[in-house]
Amino acid sequence: MMKKKTVRLTLYRYAGKFLFFRIKNRCRECDISYTILQRLMNEQLRGKPVSLRIVPWLDNFWKVIWRGGWHAPILTVNSKVFSQGRVPDVPKLLSTIGKTLNDTSLIQSGEVKIEKVVSPEKESAITVYFSPACPHCRWLISYLNNNGIKYSSRDVTLSESARKDVERLTGRLSIPVIIAKGEIIQGFDKSRLNDLLGILPENEKPIKSDIQKIIPHFTSNQLREIHQKAVNILAKNRLNGWTMPSSSLYPHLWNWDSGFISRGYLHYDPEKAYIELRSLFTGQWSDGFLPHIIFNPEYAHHFPGRDYWKADNSGKVPAGIFTSGISQPPVHATMIAKAIKLDPDKERALSFLKEIYPKLKKLHDFYFTERDPYSENLVSIVHPWESGLDNAPLWDEPLAAITDTSEWALSMQQKYDELAEQGDRPKRTYIEKYSYLIENMYKNNYNWGKIAENHPFLIQGVLFNSILCKSESDLGKIAEFIGYSADIHYERADKVKTAINNKLCDEAEGIYYNFDLVHQKHIKRDTIFSYMPLFAGIPDKDMGKAVLDTLRAHCFCIADMDCVAIPSYDMCQVDFDGEFYWRGPVWININWYLAQGTRQYGETQLAEWIENSLIALTDRNGFYEYYDPDSGRGLGEKDFSWTAALIIDLVAKRLRVRAGKPQVH
Ligand code: GLC
């Protein structure tokens, strides 16, 4: 049988890292090429056997240099350099692809004559050359619209002749370009425009704009391939009955990781999802507490390892099990509630949900009875790691205020230095504080009531409580399914929701903030976690709109710039670091939540863009722990389990829809 012809397009974009060199600035031609290719994939190439990869050039320059490609953007077609140093010629590209695939429709669309070069400077008073993904272009267009200026616009990503015009007028492909009254203005130069167009600054109308997101598209075959790659990662990381977050740095069983992982398994092997949670709950303490790590007895090499926690001081650890002494966000009920719809064997789902329900309920009960010291229906965490967001900027202030140090801080520091060699781990700065908090807990024998009285770190977190709120209502669904009363869960979900809205919401700013119980104040840091109540349906309609407006107004790549997905910290903050763990990088679980939240509040396009961008990101760059928002470079651990599991969730949903199966919400 003849092998089916396919075309592989690879765009080497000006970004990346090599040894000590890192590219920080953007390349306009690369951005335009990227937009053009995304658009072609969604339009002319949709459904054709063509794949597109976007790779950071500096990380991969050696792969193309020997083929003659040295100047980004470089586009290769089936590994041959097609164009470089400039935006690819679209008709020629379509025709090349058409010839390779023997596809006459593509060859013909490639042969369409280029529109004649117009001379806009004569034909219309004002002409704007733009690309949809260029922020300055969006601002310029918004400025003209809001100020009632009439103009004609030409999208350089759609028209070859528009690109030629720009090059002819300015000597290079730099946008936006505006031709007004015979003058050529490059960039968005407001004061020059105001002079030229006679707009007085006091009458000027403000700009409101959004980046027009180009949603990546995948063929069903591509989706199946991505799904398979993700399934392989979970298989590789799975030991006897549970799954490591990754095989090198995280060889134990982690609490919320296992929750996310179980969602992945539900889509193709529900039994494994059940086994995963069953294994996790073997570590549940007698008071309902679920530790953040259940140690794998085969591996001694995690730090801080099982001996540091002295969890046995609590007298509550199940016999023969070794655990840490802090918890993590209770995602489990939400993750496994989908068994009701996803497991084709309803009896099996029923029996497992009956088995796990009392354990989940006990865990949730624990939070309300032991971690809500002032009975406010808000759970407080006792250590930054308990949030799952280990070194997020949220904890800087509360940690800086801790002055005590621990007995073993020094040995912990040395160990951390060794670990830091393995990747971008939290470094020395707060290690003394981290260890002091642990020490205070084991010295108080993990008696949570006592700890609440003297502990220097007690925080009511937005993400943690939003997750609890959603999990309570999903536990209600589980209870209904197995024939138990669900009232307590819906009531508790409602109470947490009200408490979040009353205490953690800043209505004037349109945002949610963590509350520091020790210092009795809100922690006003603009992290992405401030927007998490959306996915749990916590804000009402008006507040939801306000939160989305705030999200747009900050640098999270929605209205301001374009990145591979949503970063974890506002990119305009001085201490934003796109490569450092929870202080800037893109995390798949957080984006997954945000997509659900934005969709619930009517932002369908944005949600689709986030989810498809996550799929594209893992497809192109691998299944990493986290990613640089600008270049998309994978960081931290490779072949990371929750990344794989949540991508399975997104891909499986898309495949179900295409197969005409009912959608599972
Ligand atoms: C890191 C993350 C945490 C995760 C753990 C294992 O500590 O911050 O959220 O659970 O790694 O993946």
Side-chain angles (χ1 to χ4, degrees), residues 31 133 286 320 359 404 593 657:
D31 286 351
S286 56
K359 300 179 184 169
D404 301 293
Y593 277 131
V657 172

Side-chain angles (χ1 to χ4, degrees), residues 490-502:
Y490 295 138
E491 274 162 26
R492 287 204 299 214
D494 223 45
K495 282 182 183 164
V496 178
K497 174 174 167 172
T498 309
I500 294 179
N501 279 327
N502 287 344

Side-chain angles (χ1 to χ4, degrees), residues 245 250 254 256-257 328 388-390 581-582 587 625 640 642:
Y250 303 118
W254 256 267
W256 75 332
D257 296 64
Q328 265 185 339
L389 321 168
D390 302 19
Y581 222 36
W582 294 99
W587 286 78
E625 191 179 358
F640 190 66
W642 89 40

Side-chain angles (χ1 to χ4, degrees), residues 249-261:
L249 199 63
Y250 303 118
H252 307 283
L253 181 50
W254 256 267
N255 178 327
W256 75 332
D257 296 64
S258 275
F260 294 128
I261 290 165

Side-chain angles (χ1 to χ4, degrees), residues 1-38:
M1 214 174 71
M2 238 176 48
K3 208 166 161 254
K4 219 170 144 227
K5 289 197 173 132
T6 53
V7 170
R8 275 173 294 110
L9 303 177
T10 310
L11 177 70
Y12 293 82
R13 198 178 175 177
Y14 189 67
K17 194 178 156 199
F18 181 71
L19 299 174
F20 305 109
F21 305 101
R22 173 166 308 146
I23 295 179
K24 290 258 180 203
N25 47 344
R26 303 186 74 99
C27 136
R28 178 65 62 216
E29 273 85 358
C30 303
D31 286 351
I32 296 176
S33 307
Y34 176 76
T35 310
I36 291 177
L37 291 171
Q38 296 274 20

